[in-house]
Amino acid sequence: MGELLTIDESDDPRLHDYTGLTDVELRRRREPAEGLFIAEGEKVIRRAGEAGYAMRSMLLSAKWVDTMRDIIDEAPAPVYVVDPALAERVTGYHVHRGALASMRRKPLPAAADLLTTARRVVVMESVNDHTNIGAIFRSAAALGLDAVLLSPDCADPLYRRSVKVSMGAVFSVPYARLDTWPAGLDAVREAGFALLALTPDERAKALDEVAPHRMDRVALMLGAEGDGLSRRALAASDEWVRIPMSHGVDSLNVGAAAAVAFYAVTAGRPSA
């Protein structure tokens, strides 16, 4: 059972995991190095626990104690109860959902292991916006993608903003990092995947024309907002594909484009 502990000082060392949550550069370095990530809100905390992530501690405002009582009773971790104003001083922002949990990371699987059983994967290159990462994971989970592969410089899916935007979907879809880029794509192709590069380039074929839902194994490649896939990534792909646009619109936000493309590559497949 989690021990309820009331804390009145913002510099209490027990709150170390929650300090400076708005400092992106600090958290990018600190969280992976210390083996933790922050889950925010009741639903996300529950989903993290259901996905097998162990809790280090929880930070709650008093009014959330009853709501989280079942989690508190089961958590073998301290539960820190604080005033909302103190929570804001510690974290750097107003904690609207009233509940935060520090969770232990799990070792990432090897990309090769994920590719063994997957049929539909998304490969992201240099996607560094945490909101886009979260949105893409949410769509991947909802539309039946089997796995996510990240280039070495992609943002951390377990960063608080990514987890929050995904509504915990980052816990539902397994992911791995490719050690090298774009050389790591060779292993994806060798595993039997067709590498389809999503690009607005007019030389690309429309997704309907390519009919990826009929292919045995598909790896859909997505690039960062604005820049898109690099020349090296495009050159490493098997085929360029695009979403046809109307009314003079040249492209969609990468999160929206991902959802449309995911449907195209999974349409007609049995749901998991």
Side-chain angles (χ1 to χ4, degrees), residues 22-257:
T22 55
D23 189 330
V24 177
E25 291 305 319
L26 171 66
R27 302 302 299 201
R28 278 176 175 167
R29 295 191 305 271
R30 220 182 91 188
E31 291 187 12
E34 297 180 15
L36 66 93
F37 70 91
I38 300 298
E40 179 178 1
E42 178 191 0
K43 288 183 180 179
V44 172
I45 292 172
R46 290 184 185 279
R47 288 173 182 171
E50 290 165 359
Y53 290 93
M55 186 180 293
R56 291 163 57 107
S57 67
M58 195 154 45
L59 180 70
L60 303 176
S61 57
K63 70 176 183 179
W64 279 87
V65 170
D66 287 343
T67 301
M68 306 294 285
R69 174 57 65 182
D70 60 318
I71 298 178
I72 294 170
D73 289 346
E74 295 177 5
V79 179
Y80 304 126
V81 180
V82 300
D83 179 271
L86 187 143
E88 185 170 349
R89 290 198 300 275
V90 171
T91 62
Y93 74 104
H94 180 61
V95 185
H96 297 283
R97 286 179 167 82
L100 296 169
S102 174
M103 314 295 293
R104 297 188 190 280
R105 290 176 181 251
K106 297 189 288 188
L108 285 183
D113 292 338
L114 295 185
L115 293 171
T116 300
T117 56
R119 289 292 180 272
R120 296 292 186 269
V121 303
V122 56
V123 183
M124 288 191 249
E125 179 191 31
S126 304
V127 179
N128 284 306
D129 183 281
H130 294 102
T131 297
N132 285 334
I133 287 276
I136 291 169
F137 264 88
R138 188 172 184 180
S139 293
L143 295 167
L145 273 289
D146 300 314
V148 176
L149 301 179
L150 306 170
S151 70
D153 57 348
C154 274
D156 178 13
L158 293 183
Y159 182 73
R160 179 179 60 88
R161 180 66 179 166
S162 300
V163 174
K164 181 178 177 181
V165 170
S166 80
M167 290 299 293
V170 293
F171 311 135
S172 303
V173 185
Y175 70 93
R177 287 193 183 271
L178 296 171
D179 294 331
T180 57
W181 187 265
L185 293 172
D186 292 342
V188 183
R189 182 180 291 106
E190 289 167 5
F193 287 82
L195 291 164
L196 303 185
L198 190 65
T199 172
D201 193 293
E202 61 183 14
R203 292 171 292 178
K205 293 181 180 179
L207 275 165
D208 286 347
E209 180 183 351
V210 176
H213 62 289
R214 294 186 181 139
M215 296 177 176
D216 182 40
R217 286 184 161 186
V218 176
L220 182 70
M221 299 165 57
L222 301 175
E225 187 78 23
D227 294 337
L229 290 165
S230 68
R231 290 183 180 179
R232 293 194 304 156
L234 289 169
S237 69
D238 295 317
E239 191 153 22
W240 296 6
V241 296
R242 62 182 174 84
I243 300 170
M245 298 282 119
S246 301
H247 300 293
V249 177
D250 59 356
S251 64
L252 297 172
N253 165 276
V254 66

